[in-house]
Amino acid sequence: MSDCLFCKILAGEVPSDVVYEDEHVLAFKDIYPQAPFHVLIIPKKHISTLNDLDVNDNELAGRLFTTAKIIAQEQGFADDGYRVQMNCGEGGGQIIFHMHLHLLAGKKFSA
């Protein structure tokens, strides 16, 4: 997607502060953090929203969550806890239409 910010990050056209990368996902620090530690975890395959996910993407969707777990462990947040969030669609608060998880940590969250 030529106009997708996250696709431009994946292509190296827009800089990012990468925290984790493998052949399927990229995780980088959010430029507008909502917690002391806030990273975005994106699939390297462009999927606009959770609603666009199909059964062929099940493994990739699971990989987003296992990546969140790996990063939380590597950064020392696994024992104290962390939040993983996904917004879907404009009404759900999604701003960038490339499916992604938010991993937030470093503070106590309320319910």
Side-chain angles (χ1 to χ4, degrees):
M1 295 297 229
S2 62
D3 61 339
C4 172
L5 175 62
F6 290 172
C7 287
K8 289 179 180 180
I9 288 171
L10 287 167
E13 298 170 18
V14 173
S16 64
D17 190 354
V18 174
V19 173
Y20 178 91
E21 182 174 13
D22 67 23
E23 63 273 12
H24 302 286
V25 301
L26 179 72
F28 52 92
K29 291 184 179 178
D30 193 306
I31 60 170
Y32 301 111
Q34 302 299 306
F37 183 80
H38 184 172
V39 298
L40 304 175
I41 304 167
I42 67 171
K44 289 188 174 180
K45 174 183 177 183
H46 181 88
I47 302 170
S48 294
T49 74
L50 183 59
N51 290 336
D52 298 304
L53 197 66
D54 70 33
V55 60
N56 295 320
D57 298 314
N58 285 350
E59 185 177 334
L60 181 58
R63 189 176 298 270
L64 293 175
F65 286 95
T66 56
T67 299
K69 179 189 95 160
I70 290 166
I71 294 168
Q73 289 172 332
E74 288 177 349
Q75 297 293 322
F77 297 114
D79 291 338
D80 289 337
Y82 53 95
R83 177 172 285 178
V84 177
Q85 176 179 321
M86 181 183 288
N87 302 328
C88 182
E90 188 176 330
Q94 187 175 3
I95 297 170
I96 306 295
F97 286 85
H98 184 123
M99 189 175 79
H100 58 284
L101 289 180
H102 295 259
L103 170 59
L104 302 108
K107 72 175 194 175
K108 185 171 173 81
F109 295 97
S110 58

